[in-house]
Amino acid sequence: MTESSEWLIYRGAGEPHDGLSRLPPPPPWRDFSGRDAAADGGDGSRDRRLGAHRHLAELHRPGAEELEMINAALYLRRPLLVTGSPGAGKSTLAHSVAYELGLGDVLRWSIVSRSSLQGGLYHYDAIARLQDVQIAAQGGYGAASGSPGAVEAVGSYIRLGPLGTALLPSDTPRVLLIDELDKSDIDLPNDLLNVLEEGEFEIPELQRIADRLPDGEAEVLTADGTKVRVRDGRVRCRAFPFVVLTSNGERDFPAPLMRRCIHLELGRPDHNRLATFVRAHLGDEAARAGDDLIGRFLERSRSELLATDQLLNAIYLTDAAAPTSRDRLADQLIQRLDRPR
């Protein structure tokens, strides 16, 4: 086998071999072993990227304009709408604020075309409740339908979403990242207006039975897995959360949303920020070894649409590849995202 192919695990030779034993550990962002709570102290199952996010937060050094707009949003209790290209550091900003101000883990709502305001606030599992009521009526587990226990148990079928959890009353604000809002359908930005202005919302399923609940309270599950009590079916914040809405600039937002937000536009990341990004995920040695790839990536990004995930993939993989194929492999991994089909 030639030097350039020594790194290959699958050889395409049609002969079984034990090459899988040479496969190195996965990149940190593709390490799923953290789902085994016993293997990582019990917290890896929440978010396998949490360590990298925290490291990025420690290393993040915002520019003057970024610093001013973040503080403006904090002072005014307004959402911060951050636009910029992929990898500009939009989501890192939220983690950096949470880390420096001691505001706990960031609540994240990743937006897709099917995302709705309802899903961000809470989810009521009516089907599961109906099934449990039917089982109870047949003499199975739980209280029968109509009993006080069944009424109180309604909260067991309600889970607050990231936005709903961020609006829970507390003395200090939570940090909420509403990621890639420009991927939503046309209605969601307008649907958010009232909740972001008033800082409260109602849960009709609890309001209808509030007079039958002890002190009008029901226990529900939050987006980060804890249980809280909601009174009279209404959630109302005391400290408005620090809300970061990110956008890749793929669409314009309605004027009423823009009026309610502080707007920050991030430019393309420079060499130092890209190196910090690599260092946070792969370590100092990888950042030094991949410095030339960072420079080439930065040069190409001036005229091509690229994503920093591609840079991470290239630096990680070329570290395992033979030097003779390094540049070619990097070019294959970092392909422009806006190329003609």
Side-chain angles (χ1 to χ4, degrees):
M1 188 176 296
T2 64
E3 180 187 7
S4 63
S5 61
E6 287 181 354
W7 70 283
L8 299 177
I9 302 299
Y10 168 70
R11 302 170 185 171
E15 298 177 0
H17 57 84
D18 62 353
L20 191 63
S21 62
R22 296 188 292 107
L23 191 65
W29 57 93
R30 295 299 296 171
D31 185 0
F32 294 89
S33 63
R35 290 178 175 175
D36 179 4
D40 66 355
D43 61 358
S45 60
R46 293 200 314 270
D47 185 356
R48 65 180 181 275
R49 291 197 183 206
L50 187 56
H53 281 313
R54 285 178 174 167
H55 197 187
L56 277 170
E58 293 177 37
L59 298 173
H60 185 64
R61 297 295 182 270
E65 181 183 355
E66 183 179 343
L67 200 58
E68 289 171 351
M69 293 300 97
I70 291 171
N71 281 280
L74 286 168
Y75 272 83
L76 298 172
R77 277 70 170 179
R78 288 290 185 183
L80 182 67
L81 174 61
V82 186
T83 58
S85 60
K90 301 185 295 295
S91 59
T92 299
L93 184 154
H95 289 275
S96 180
V97 171
Y99 176 79
E100 183 172 321
L101 300 183
L103 299 178
D105 291 342
V106 174
L107 294 162
R108 181 168 186 158
W109 184 15
S110 297
I111 301 300
V112 296
S113 60
R114 301 179 305 280
S115 297
S116 66
L117 176 62
Q118 172 78 32
L121 293 175
Y122 75 97
H123 172 68
Y124 173 60
D125 195 341
I127 294 177
R129 187 186 179 209
L130 177 60
Q131 291 173 338
D132 287 349
V133 168
Q134 290 172 339
I135 292 172
Q138 295 169 4
Y141 60 81
S145 177
S147 70
V151 173
E152 294 175 25
V154 171
S156 302
Y157 304 98
I158 293 175
R159 179 166 188 151
L160 300 182
L163 176 56
T165 301
L167 292 173
L168 286 168
S170 63
D171 294 330
T172 56
R174 291 296 302 266
V175 176
L176 170 65
L177 173 63
I178 303 180
D179 207 17
E180 298 190 326
L181 183 61
D182 46 353
K183 287 184 168 52
S184 72
D185 71 11
I186 194 170
D187 294 322
L188 183 58
N190 281 317
D191 292 343
L192 286 167
L193 295 178
N194 187 64
V195 174
L196 293 179
E197 186 67 23
E198 302 299 330
E200 64 179 26
F201 68 97
E202 299 172 348
I203 304 177
E205 292 84 357
L206 294 182
Q207 287 186 320
R208 286 195 293 266
I209 60 170
D211 58 345
R212 288 179 282 163
L213 293 170
D215 298 323
E217 294 184 344
E219 191 174 67
V220 303
L221 197 63
T222 68
D224 42 12
T226 61
K227 291 184 177 180
V228 297
R229 301 194 72 82
V230 173
R231 185 179 181 86
D232 297 329
R234 181 184 294 273
V235 174
R236 179 187 292 122
C237 71
R238 285 202 300 266
F240 188 77
F242 181 71
V243 181
V244 177
L245 305 100
T246 73
S247 166
N248 291 329
E250 297 176 358
R251 62 184 276 197
D252 295 327
F253 295 114
L257 178 68
M258 300 297 292
R259 180 170 61 84
R260 288 167 170 81
C261 295
I262 304 298
H263 186 204
L264 169 65
E265 184 167 358
L266 296 179
R268 288 192 305 268
D270 57 17
H271 195 286
N272 183 61
R273 179 165 288 191
L274 286 174
T276 298
F277 186 73
V278 174
R279 193 158 51 246
H281 285 87
L282 296 174
D284 293 338
E285 185 175 346
R288 285 193 295 270
D291 190 70
D292 63 321
L293 294 182
I294 295 174
R296 286 163 55 189
F297 177 91
L298 190 60
E299 179 65 28
R300 288 181 55 187
S301 68
R302 294 190 175 98
S303 58
E304 303 174 16
L305 178 61
L306 303 173
T308 51
D309 285 348
Q310 296 171 297
L311 176 63
L312 282 179
N313 290 338
I315 291 178
Y316 172 83
L317 192 55
T318 56
D319 184 54
T324 54
S325 64
R326 180 177 183 269
D327 291 344
R328 177 172 52 81
L329 184 58
D331 286 338
Q332 290 175 330
L333 292 171
I334 306 176
Q335 296 191 25
R336 61 187 304 166
L337 302 176
D338 56 347
R339 69 183 187 276
R341 296 294 178 183

